[in-house]
Amino acid sequence: MERKERCDVTFVASFGKKEMTDQEEKYLKETRMLNYRADSIEKLVRSRGWKELDEYEKIGAVYDFVRNEIRFGYNRSDLLTAEEVLKDGYGQCNTKGTLLMALLRAVGVPCRLHGSEVSKNFQRGATSGIISKLAPERIAHTWVEVLYRNKWIALEGVITDEAYVRGVKKRYPDKKGEFKEYAISVKDIKNLDLNWKGEDLFVQNTSVVEDYGVFYSPDDFFKDHKQTWNVVKDFAYVHYGRKVMNRNVSRIRQSDRCN
């Protein structure tokens, strides 16, 4: 694990050299969760032609795919592999991050994971009733950082697809400034723009209550920060809670298509 306080200058300056150091290789390494050599992922990368794009376009194309073609939704576990997230076709912060990292590394773009915890309150609207009450007060939260032009750029905006964001905005057409509901936590909801422009993109970061720094992979982060409730609550979440949450999310997304 690379802790937050460590300096990246040496790594950034040396990455363009032919011979990579062990540290540099870890930003491109395949892991159990980042299984980018899986057949389905290799087929996807080939079919989209992502490897033939320049660096800016690679990042943008992969980011846009995970953001908008993998819908925002709640999977059965944070520990799914990239291949499993792709098969599900939807994901939240942690699972979308896993797929995004795998695809970036598959096309040769160095990336890392930033780990944290967020308060649960901004999930109101996506969660409801007893599900919200049973949820822990603090939730494991991660986002991907990509190395672009010698800088680490945050891609947390990948979490919420554009149709979902429009659906939320439609419910609050006159809302300005800070917003913490419906799994969105930002300083300015009205002007929220999550399209790739070579800059940081955040959609939930204003609810971070603890920062754990950066990690080489989700495998490393979840060794020490696995989200767990208890056996009964875990079962209830997998078989009931997340299904209700996904229906809520779907209704919000569908409202974007209503007149």
Side-chain angles (χ1 to χ4, degrees):
M1 183 185 79
E2 182 195 7
R3 290 292 181 185
K4 183 182 179 184
E5 64 270 20
R6 288 184 56 183
C7 179
D8 296 314
V9 173
T10 301
F11 163 67
V12 171
S14 64
F15 198 85
K17 295 179 181 179
K18 187 174 181 180
E19 300 251 345
M20 289 191 295
T21 67
D22 290 342
Q23 180 180 347
E24 291 163 354
E25 287 180 346
K26 288 183 178 179
Y27 291 106
L28 291 170
K29 183 180 179 180
E30 184 181 35
T31 67
R32 186 196 70 81
M33 292 178 69
L34 305 179
N35 59 335
Y36 60 75
R37 290 187 177 89
D39 289 344
S40 60
I41 292 181
E42 289 189 332
K43 181 179 179 181
L44 172 65
V45 171
R46 284 195 305 270
S47 69
R48 298 295 176 117
W50 289 332
K51 288 186 178 181
E52 283 68 57
L53 303 175
D54 66 31
E55 184 181 34
Y56 180 88
E57 291 174 331
K58 275 182 184 178
I59 297 169
V62 170
Y63 170 84
D64 186 68
F65 171 81
V66 179
R67 182 178 176 229
N68 289 312
E69 296 189 49
I70 305 298
R71 305 180 316 278
F72 171 51
Y74 296 89
N75 312 88
R76 64 190 181 277
S77 170
D78 286 333
L79 305 181
L80 299 184
T81 65
E83 181 183 26
E84 290 172 322
V85 180
L86 180 62
K87 183 178 180 181
D88 274 0
Y90 60 88
Q92 32 82 358
C93 59
N94 301 318
T95 51
K96 275 200 171 192
T98 294
L99 180 57
L100 179 60
M101 288 188 74
L103 292 176
L104 288 170
R105 292 186 181 188
V107 298
V109 177
C111 57
R112 67 188 187 186
L113 194 76
H114 201 127
S116 71
E117 283 189 342
V118 289
S119 62
K120 71 176 182 179
N121 296 332
F122 77 99
Q123 298 277 355
R124 285 187 303 263
T127 60
S128 58
I130 192 170
I131 302 167
S132 180
K133 292 180 180 179
L134 290 175
E137 291 299 319
R138 293 157 64 121
I139 302 167
H141 174 65
T142 61
W143 65 86
V144 178
E145 295 178 349
V146 63
L147 185 66
Y148 177 63
R149 292 185 176 178
N150 292 341
K151 290 178 61 179
W152 289 107
I153 306 296
L155 298 180
E156 194 206 42
V158 77
I159 301 167
T160 49
D161 56 270
E162 187 61 27
Y164 178 81
V165 173
R166 288 197 302 263
V168 172
K169 286 184 175 182
K170 191 170 183 178
R171 291 173 177 236
Y172 296 89
D174 301 318
K175 177 67 176 177
K176 298 179 181 179
E178 187 176 45
F179 186 85
K180 290 188 178 184
E181 291 186 67
Y182 291 92
I184 292 176
S185 182
V186 294
K187 293 180 179 179
D188 181 6
I189 182 66
K190 188 175 183 63
N191 295 307
L192 181 62
D193 181 354
L194 298 175
N195 293 306
W196 166 246
K197 297 183 182 69
E199 302 172 346
D200 289 336
L201 295 164
F202 287 108
V203 71
Q204 295 182 348
N205 68 315
T206 60
S207 285
V208 169
V209 292
E210 186 157 0
D211 191 330
Y212 292 118
V214 292
F215 299 75
Y216 289 118
S217 71
D219 311 61
D220 294 330
F221 175 75
F222 286 111
K223 283 178 185 176
D224 299 321
H225 303 287
K226 181 181 177 182
Q227 185 76 60
T228 183
W229 305 356
N230 58 49
V231 174
V232 174
K233 287 184 179 180
D234 284 347
F235 182 88
Y237 168 77
V238 170
H239 297 283
Y240 172 71
R242 72 185 184 92
K243 295 180 180 179
V244 173
M245 293 160 70
N246 284 339
R247 285 197 293 271
N248 291 342
V249 168
S250 181
R251 281 195 293 269
I252 295 164
R253 186 181 294 109
Q254 289 170 4
S255 68
D256 171 56
R257 298 193 288 269
C258 299
N259 293 325

